[in-house]
Amino acid sequence: SKWINKWKNYKNLPKNQGNKEKFYVLAMFPYPSGMLHMGHVRVYTISDTLARFRKMLGYDVIHPMGWDAFGLPAENAAMERNVHPADWTISNISSMKKQMERILTDFDWDREVTTCNPDYYKWTQYLFLQMYKARLAYQKEAIVNWDPVDQTVLANEQVGSDGRSWRSGAKVERRKLKQWFFKITDFAEPLLNDLDLLDKWPDHVKQMQRNWIGKSKGAEFDFIVESKRSEFIVKVFTSRPDTIFGVQYLAIAIDHPLLSEEWLPQNTCSQVLQFVEKIRQQELFDLNDVNTGQGMHTGVFAKHPITGLSIPIYVASYVVPDYGTGAVMGVPAHDERDWEFVRINRIISEDNIKKVIMPVIQDNSKATGMQHSNKVFTSRGILTAKCGQYAGLSSDDAEKAIVNDAQKAGYGRWSVQVVPVSESELPILLPTDVTFSGRGGSPLKQVQEWLNCKCPKCQGSAMRDTDTMDTFVDSSWYFMRYMDSKNSNQPFCPKKASNLLPVDVYIGGIEHANLHLLYSRFFTKFMFKQGMFALKGDITEPGQDEPFKQLGMVHGKTFKDPISGRFLKPDEVDLSNPSKPIQISTGMTSIVSFEKMSKSKYNGVDPETTINNYGADATRLHILFKAPVSEVLEWEDASIVGMQRWIARVWRLVESIVKKDLSTNNLSLNFNMNLLSKEDRETYRIINITIKEVTEDYKNSTFNTAVSALIKLTNHLTSISPYQNENASKKSTIVSQTYEYGVKTLVKMMAPMAPSIGEEFWEILNQGKQHITSVFEELWPKVDIECLSAASEVTCVVQINGKMRFSIMTPSAVLQDNLSTEKLILESENGKKWLGKVNADKKIKKIIHANEGKIVNFVFDK
């Protein structure tokens, strides 16, 4: 508490940044649930350690914090506690700020953002409008994952492999709703290609991004189904428009709107719907487990948009609802999967497969792209005579011509009319007099005064859209708002953003490696393209529009009921044998998995208890020492005691200097290795080796090895301390300075990880001196490279006319001085014996120093 209060005063002191280089350290901002768990503490400890370290290195550090404050938990809390979600959120923010203070974090609270405040969501609305104007935000009907408890749509990433909501645990349903979408495909190329430039991102995270983006280029064609009722248009996506003349069937997903009693023929309807339900039960939410060859003819035929031929429509397990339109062309002559589907379901005989692309063969060379004994040609080539007016065109030219002609003919393109509000009306303030029941869809629909409005375009009666954006939209740009959080005229100042972006290090949970990072990259690339900011250097350089240079992703350990998959609370699990966790109620071995730390997964250790028992500094050190940033932290309290003991040992080193009155005012000690004793030379070398190792560890975020190196230095300083015994006599001033330099260097380097202890030790070491500053105002220790070249003493081999005669132990620093080395050799006993005898008869012609001075050859006249 002493140092927490002092830091607040330091914040009020004037800052003179000068021309320091910026370093932006970002920790993922939390949802204000009211309680930090150990997952939060780990993330913030890592970011805070990096921020303090970089400040000591001389950087102008940006280390902001804010609140991802919108979301269903606030509404659920309102219903459970009979309080307004805004009041609950504000109260939680206050509580969590105090908790962040207790774990000794040094955040830039003057940059704070709260996403549920109008001064923030005004600009979220603004960015949405910009994307709508750029045709990157649009509406369409789609099959969605519906959480029946929270009554909201979930992204695929928010649904577990068991088909349950990651938040409520409810079994997720599939529903068809009109939804808003962002057209990320427009940025698919740079989103994919620029991943190769992110050399400080974990490889597995980049691969997750590649798999999620899964770029597909192509076109849509309308195949018309005619019935007695009306006309149904099946919109079909294809990545190979040049093969449209080879279509011999259409394949639709099990959730396609055509699969209903309204459109299916009476004689096939029941059988088809039973087949659909069978596939749905098989797949749950993992299409990889489904036999992709399963299919059934619907009994429905569609008209080919160009040839007018009748094309059968099959429901097929391999068609993914979220890919394209949920309907694809079946071209067995030119697609391996389509050929297999035709063969398994006996749709067409091999002799009747229609080939419409032929290979380009030159000089009788073998054609490439052939599969199944020349039955399938998958490469691009030349269109055959079966392609009418496009025959003879290359695949590339044919695609352009076919799609252009289709657009001119208007094969049934449709769009949803949406009227945006004027930017001058922003923010559209959310009503506060809302009743939260958890039923009936959006609570906004109940507030008639807010719902009913005038159309911004025609001034007629209109209704507001009650669909709300997922909180990922807020978190897709919050790191930019930090740059200029008080700006009321624009989301942020372009100049400030250009100077301070990108984020140098981003620390957060592994659960956000896909959705959040992808959308943050998408938003950043969009805003960069819009000219909202520009980075230094060539703005056309690839990767200039990437938001995060380096990632640190963390995750935690969870326990699940082996039958239901429900997350178990800590008191429901017997961990007497850590390798075999037992569910107490059933006696069964629980399922262990490693996921995000959160209250909903009951793997969030309460940091308050740990800090009360062991102290914030020891807790932070334990977090950093127990596991590397990229590895799972299996939390247990036992080894925190080891960190407490280390702190106590360093404290004894600090007090030993003060008690013996050895502390000097001069911290820039100029060590002359030649004047130091053997013991001090070794100590000085060990100190500098530690500085080098720990500096690299901090830069690479490998804090576990940094702690290990500092403990080794502590061990050495303890072993050579001349003041362990009260009756021991004082040694030379040089010894005292070397020892003191080691202790002060140790305190500086442990301070970013254990800040209040670091400050306390620094204050003790500087008692009685004027103008004592924070240890974090000190510069990071620099490495004396010269003393690292070798050990304090090395073996020097002495040769006479190329023959080895004897060796001598020589201080490593002396090896760098040829004259000093020669003097030591000549004055040694063996030197007098061998060189004095030869020198009496012959003169030294030359002296050769080799192997960095470790070999000295005295050459005499013959």
Side-chain angles (χ1 to χ4, degrees):
S1 59
K2 166 186 172 180
W3 287 104
I4 288 171
N5 291 328
K6 282 202 171 189
W7 289 331
K8 290 177 181 177
N9 293 330
Y10 289 155
K11 289 281 187 183
N12 298 324
L13 296 177
K15 297 180 181 179
N16 182 17
Q17 300 292 4
N19 294 318
K20 292 182 179 180
E21 183 180 353
K22 74 90 183 176
F23 197 89
Y24 188 172
V25 181
L26 179 67
M28 287 187 181
F29 65 168
Y31 178 79
S33 61
M35 177 63 69
L36 294 183
H37 55 65
M38 202 54 75
H40 291 125
V41 177
R42 188 183 185 196
V43 168
Y44 306 148
T45 295
I46 292 168
S47 73
D48 188 65
T49 300
L50 286 171
R52 292 180 184 276
F53 164 65
R54 289 287 174 173
K55 284 179 182 178
M56 295 177 76
L57 275 184
Y59 287 88
D60 181 10
V61 174
I62 300 101
H63 186 218
M65 181 48 64
W67 311 97
D68 193 6
F70 269 130
L72 282 169
E75 296 182 12
N76 291 340
M79 292 182 285
E80 293 171 11
R81 298 169 175 81
N82 195 29
V83 297
H84 196 283
D87 297 335
W88 185 80
T89 299
I90 293 169
S91 173
N92 287 346
I93 288 174
S94 177
S95 298
M96 292 176 75
K97 264 192 177 181
K98 292 177 182 177
Q99 291 173 335
M100 288 181 178
E101 191 176 78
R102 285 208 68 197
I103 61 173
L104 311 177
T105 53
D106 181 22
F107 289 119
D108 302 334
W109 288 113
D110 54 336
R111 297 182 181 274
E112 181 181 9
V113 301
T114 304
T115 61
C116 66
N117 285 349
D119 61 0
Y120 184 91
Y121 72 67
K122 169 184 178 178
W123 300 113
T124 303
Q125 294 172 347
Y126 170 84
L127 291 173
F128 180 86
L129 287 179
Q130 305 315 304
M131 289 193 173
Y132 177 76
K133 291 175 183 177
R135 299 185 178 181
L136 293 175
Y138 64 98
Q139 273 187 316
K140 73 172 184 179
E141 285 194 333
I143 300 296
V144 298
N145 303 317
W146 180 258
D147 184 327
V149 173
D150 281 344
Q151 296 215 342
T152 186
V153 174
L154 300 174
N156 289 336
E157 288 77 11
Q158 295 170 321
V159 180
S161 59
D162 56 358
R164 294 184 179 275
S165 166
W166 69 275
R167 190 186 298 277
S168 72
K171 193 72 176 178
V172 173
E173 302 171 359
R174 304 280 272 175
R175 291 190 182 182
K176 188 171 184 179
L177 297 173
K178 183 178 287 187
Q179 294 288 295
W180 280 99
F181 291 85
F182 285 120
K183 199 173 182 183
I184 295 185
T185 50
D186 278 17
F187 288 83
E189 195 91 18
L191 284 169
L192 278 172
N193 294 342
D194 290 353
L195 285 171
D196 295 332
L197 305 174
L198 300 174
D199 56 352
K200 293 183 180 180
W201 279 39
D203 288 338
H204 69 282
V205 173
K206 290 196 285 186
Q207 191 55 45
M208 290 167 70
Q209 293 262 308
R210 290 188 183 99
N211 294 341
W212 203 95
I213 296 167
K215 179 186 64 176
S216 289
K217 292 182 178 179
E220 283 183 359
F221 293 103
D222 295 342
F223 287 71
I224 299 174
V225 175
E226 294 182 347
S227 71
K228 293 180 179 178
R229 298 185 186 91
S230 60
E231 191 178 84
F232 187 98
I233 298 175
V234 179
K235 299 174 67 180
V236 176
F237 174 83
T238 177
S239 60
R240 290 289 303 274
D242 58 322
T243 66
I244 190 169
F245 287 90
V247 175
Q248 294 188 273
Y249 71 95
L250 299 183
I252 59 176
I254 60 172
D255 293 315
H256 197 279
L258 186 67
L259 299 173
S260 67
E261 293 181 356
E262 180 182 358
W263 294 104
L264 293 173
Q266 290 184 354
N267 61 333
T268 62
C269 182
S270 177
Q271 188 179 5
V272 170
L273 294 180
Q274 287 178 14
F275 174 79
V276 166
E277 186 58 30
K278 172 188 170 185
I279 299 299
R280 181 176 285 114
Q281 291 300 318
Q282 284 180 1
E283 74 169 30
L284 289 176
F285 292 89
D286 188 359
L287 293 175
N288 295 324
D289 292 340
V290 179
N291 178 355
T292 56
Q294 295 182 85
M296 176 177 284
H297 186 212
T298 62
V300 178
F301 293 82
K303 183 180 179 181
H304 193 290
I306 300 177
T307 67
L309 294 175
S310 184
I311 308 294
I313 300 179
Y314 281 72
V315 55
S317 58
Y318 71 80
V319 182
V320 182
D322 294 334
Y323 178 77
T325 61
V328 298
M329 302 189 320
V331 187
H334 304 292
D335 186 282
E336 179 76 12
R337 181 195 56 197
D338 296 350
W339 191 93
E340 287 287 349
F341 188 78
V342 163
R343 183 182 62 82
I344 292 171
N345 293 281
R346 300 178 181 178
I347 298 174
I348 306 164
S349 66
E350 291 186 11
D351 294 337
N352 292 323
I353 288 178
K354 187 184 295 184
K355 297 179 181 179
V356 295
I357 307 290
M358 62 181 179
V360 178
I361 302 178
Q362 297 177 345
D363 301 327
N364 295 320
S365 61
K366 185 177 181 181
T368 59
M370 301 303 297
Q371 305 288 337
H372 286 295
S373 303
N374 297 328
K375 294 223 169 18
V376 181
F377 177 67
T378 58
S379 296
R380 306 174 78 78
I382 302 295
L383 272 64
T384 68
K386 296 178 181 178
C387 300
Q389 61 181 314
Y390 308 104
L393 293 178
S394 67
S395 290
D396 291 345
D397 291 340
E399 285 185 347
K400 295 175 184 176
I402 291 171
V403 174
N404 285 338
D405 290 346
Q407 288 177 333
K408 291 175 184 177
Y411 293 158
R413 295 284 177 262
W414 60 274
S415 63
V416 176
Q417 294 298 317
V418 180
V419 181
V421 298
S422 168
E423 291 176 14
S424 62
E425 294 184 48
L426 299 182
I428 300 300
L429 294 174
L430 296 173
T432 56
D433 54 337
V434 180
T435 302
F436 296 92
S437 66
R439 296 292 181 269
S442 173
L444 293 172
K445 293 179 180 178
Q446 306 166 13
V447 187
Q448 295 298 316
E449 297 82 4
W450 182 89
L451 185 66
N452 297 302
C453 63
K454 287 186 177 181
C455 173
K457 190 173 183 179
C458 68
Q459 298 303 308
S461 298
M463 295 178 66
R464 295 193 189 279
D465 189 340
T466 59
D467 210 356
T468 53
M469 289 179 264
D470 194 292
T471 57
F472 77 78
V473 180
D474 294 320
S475 60
S476 294
W477 75 283
Y478 77 107
F479 49 92
M480 295 183 172
R481 182 64 176 175
Y482 279 146
M483 304 297 91
D484 198 13
S485 61
K486 305 297 187 294
N487 195 325
S488 59
N489 298 316
Q490 53 191 157
F492 47 80
C493 168
K495 184 177 180 180
K496 289 182 179 180
S498 300
N499 289 335
L500 298 177
L501 291 172
V503 173
D504 291 281
V505 182
Y506 193 19
I507 310 295
I510 191 67
E511 71 277 6
H512 297 296
N514 247 358
L515 198 62
H516 166 60
L517 291 183
L518 180 64
Y519 273 95
S520 295
R521 296 178 65 219
F522 168 62
F523 268 61
T524 304
K525 289 181 182 296
F526 168 71
M527 286 188 266
F528 186 84
K529 186 177 180 181
Q530 293 290 104
M532 296 178 69
F533 74 100
L535 303 183
K536 297 175 182 177
D538 182 4
I539 62 171
T540 63
E541 181 182 341
Q544 282 277 300
D545 51 2
E546 285 292 335
F548 314 120
K549 281 187 180 180
Q550 182 177 348
L551 297 180
M553 310 255 78
V554 302
H555 45 182
K557 191 175 187 178
T558 64
F559 302 97
K560 293 182 180 180
D561 184 309
I563 297 177
S564 68
R566 178 179 64 86
F567 290 106
L568 301 175
K569 298 179 181 179
D571 58 6
E572 294 182 275
V573 185
D574 179 359
L575 294 174
S576 302
N577 181 356
S579 62
K580 190 179 180 181
I582 301 298
Q583 185 175 346
I584 296 173
S585 61
T586 64
M588 301 177 67
T589 302
S590 65
I591 299 171
V592 178
S593 62
F594 298 99
E595 307 180 38
K596 65 174 278 189
M597 281 189 171
S598 70
K599 292 172 68 176
S600 64
K601 291 180 170 60
Y602 305 110
N603 59 359
V605 180
D606 182 4
E608 289 284 331
T609 303
T610 307
I611 291 171
N612 289 336
N613 291 339
Y614 303 100
D617 293 284
T619 300
R620 286 169 59 121
L621 287 169
H622 172 71
I623 286 171
L624 298 173
F625 178 65
K626 189 66 178 173
V629 173
S630 59
E631 300 297 326
V632 173
L633 174 64
E634 297 190 39
W635 183 261
E636 45 82 24
D637 290 352
S639 59
I640 301 186
V641 177
M643 295 297 102
Q644 284 184 310
R645 289 171 180 162
W646 176 41
I647 290 172
R649 292 175 64 209
V650 178
W651 203 315
R652 286 195 290 271
L653 293 175
V654 169
E655 289 187 324
S656 71
I657 292 177
V658 178
K659 286 179 180 178
K660 295 299 180 181
D661 194 26
L662 296 172
S663 185
T664 66
N665 287 319
N666 181 16
L667 298 183
S668 302
L669 301 177
N670 185 15
F671 290 100
N672 186 334
M673 295 295 288
N674 293 328
L675 298 178
L676 293 179
S677 67
K678 176 182 176 181
E679 184 181 70
D680 282 333
R681 283 198 304 271
E682 181 63 11
T683 295
Y684 186 63
R685 187 180 70 86
I686 289 173
I687 292 169
N688 280 277
I689 288 174
T690 307
I691 295 172
K692 185 175 185 296
E693 291 178 352
V694 173
T695 302
E696 289 302 313
D697 288 335
Y698 270 100
K699 287 181 178 179
N700 296 324
S701 301
T702 51
F703 303 111
N704 56 319
T705 53
V707 173
S708 295
L710 291 177
I711 290 175
K712 289 179 183 178
L713 178 58
T714 304
N715 294 340
H716 177 76
L717 292 172
T718 301
S719 70
I720 59 97
S721 173
Y723 313 106
Q724 297 299 309
N725 187 335
E726 288 291 330
N727 297 320
S729 60
K730 288 188 178 182
K731 297 188 179 181
S732 69
T733 304
I734 293 296
V735 172
S736 301
Q737 287 185 335
T738 308
Y739 177 72
E740 179 190 8
Y741 177 69
V743 174
K744 289 187 173 180
T745 300
L746 170 62
V747 168
K748 281 185 181 182
M749 292 194 294
M750 73 182 297
M753 294 185 283
S756 72
I757 285 293
E759 291 277 38
E760 187 71 18
F761 289 168
W762 195 249
E763 184 180 68
I764 293 171
L765 287 168
N766 289 276
Q767 284 180 10
K769 297 175 185 175
Q770 293 181 345
H771 308 299
I772 300 175
T773 60
S774 164
V775 68
F776 300 109
E777 297 297 319
E778 296 291 322
L779 290 177
W780 189 256
K782 291 185 178 180
V783 181
D784 185 345
I785 300 297
E786 292 184 5
C787 76
L788 301 179
S789 58
S792 57
E793 286 192 341
V794 295
T795 300
C796 178
V797 174
V798 180
Q799 297 176 339
I800 297 177
N801 290 340
K803 292 183 179 181
M804 189 272 190
R805 293 304 182 188
F806 64 92
S807 63
I808 182 174
M809 295 305 294
T810 309
S812 58
V814 174
L815 289 181
Q816 310 303 318
D817 185 343
N818 290 351
L819 291 177
S820 297
T821 303
E822 293 163 11
K823 183 179 179 182
L824 282 174
I825 293 171
L826 290 169
E827 292 179 352
S828 68
E829 289 187 18
N830 281 324
K832 293 175 182 178
K833 174 182 175 182
W834 287 96
L835 295 170
K837 180 180 178 181
V838 175
N839 197 29
D841 302 325
K842 299 175 183 178
K843 292 183 178 181
I844 298 174
K845 184 178 179 180
K846 59 182 176 181
I847 302 175
I848 303 171
H849 294 260
N851 193 20
E852 298 181 341
K854 295 176 185 175
I855 299 175
V856 181
N857 183 17
F858 289 81
V859 181
F860 288 84
D861 290 330
K862 294 182 180 179

